Amino acid sequence: MRLLRSTDLALRVLMRLSVAEDTTPTTREVSADMDVPYTHAAKVVAELQHQGLVDARRGRGGGLSLTEKGRTASVGAVVRSFEGDGDVVDCEGGPTPCPLHTACRLRGALRKAQEAFFATLDPLTIGDMTASPTGPLLLQIGRAPTP
């Protein structure tokens, strides 16, 4: 299974904000730290804010911060929200639906594998993902190396 870029970025943004305890980086700073286009980061941050996982304040003294809901959010729930909970393959869609669609066993097996994937991520929180050694490394992202 391959995650969408927006899903990957959402998880990285949440992890980055999880370790930014005394700072409130801007979306522009986070996009630079993660080396992604600002417009892409802004869309992801807007969705995270809509879900109540991130607080985004504008203007002087503004920036991004992780909400308590974001800190304890299930990684599986975040992935589901960005990926959707639909089937891995679209057997009925398109101009020519799959001729096996009424008797296919593959679709069920793929759905079961997808649920196992989510079940593995469900008990993990964003906080779990930033435990050492990841947390200290996240603090170094985007900073110039010290001479």
Side-chain angles (χ1 to χ4, degrees):
M1 182 166 186
R2 186 180 192 122
L3 297 179
L4 298 171
R5 285 185 180 189
S6 57
T7 306
D8 174 49
L9 182 56
L11 293 169
R12 290 191 288 146
V13 166
L14 291 170
M15 290 170 61
R16 174 67 178 89
L17 294 177
S18 177
V19 297
E21 295 172 1
D22 58 343
T23 62
T24 53
T26 65
T27 302
R28 196 164 299 283
E29 290 168 340
V30 168
S31 71
D33 289 350
M34 300 294 171
D35 196 26
V36 296
Y38 169 76
T39 54
H40 191 60
K43 287 178 188 175
V44 168
V45 166
E47 180 58 29
L48 291 171
Q49 183 180 17
H50 176 73
Q51 292 180 23
L53 304 175
V54 169
D55 182 31
R57 292 179 307 282
R58 298 183 119 162
R60 188 178 178 109
L64 305 173
S65 60
L66 198 59
T67 64
E68 188 55 37
K69 180 179 176 182
R71 195 168 305 285
T72 60
S74 160
V75 173
V78 173
V79 171
R80 272 188 190 90
S81 71
F82 276 84
E83 294 289 319
D85 205 14
D87 286 329
V88 176
V89 293
D90 184 13
C91 301
E92 299 173 23
T96 55
C98 177
L100 300 175
H101 127 80
T102 57
C104 183
R105 297 177 67 189
L106 178 60
R107 182 174 52 183
L110 290 173
R111 182 66 165 164
K112 190 174 180 179
Q114 180 185 34
E115 283 307 314
F117 174 76
F118 288 135
T120 301
L121 297 176
D122 283 340
L124 302 172
T125 66
I126 298 303
D128 294 335
M129 297 296 97
T130 58
S132 188
T134 306
L137 181 61
L138 281 166
L139 290 171
Q140 299 303 315
I141 291 176
R143 293 188 182 163
T146 53

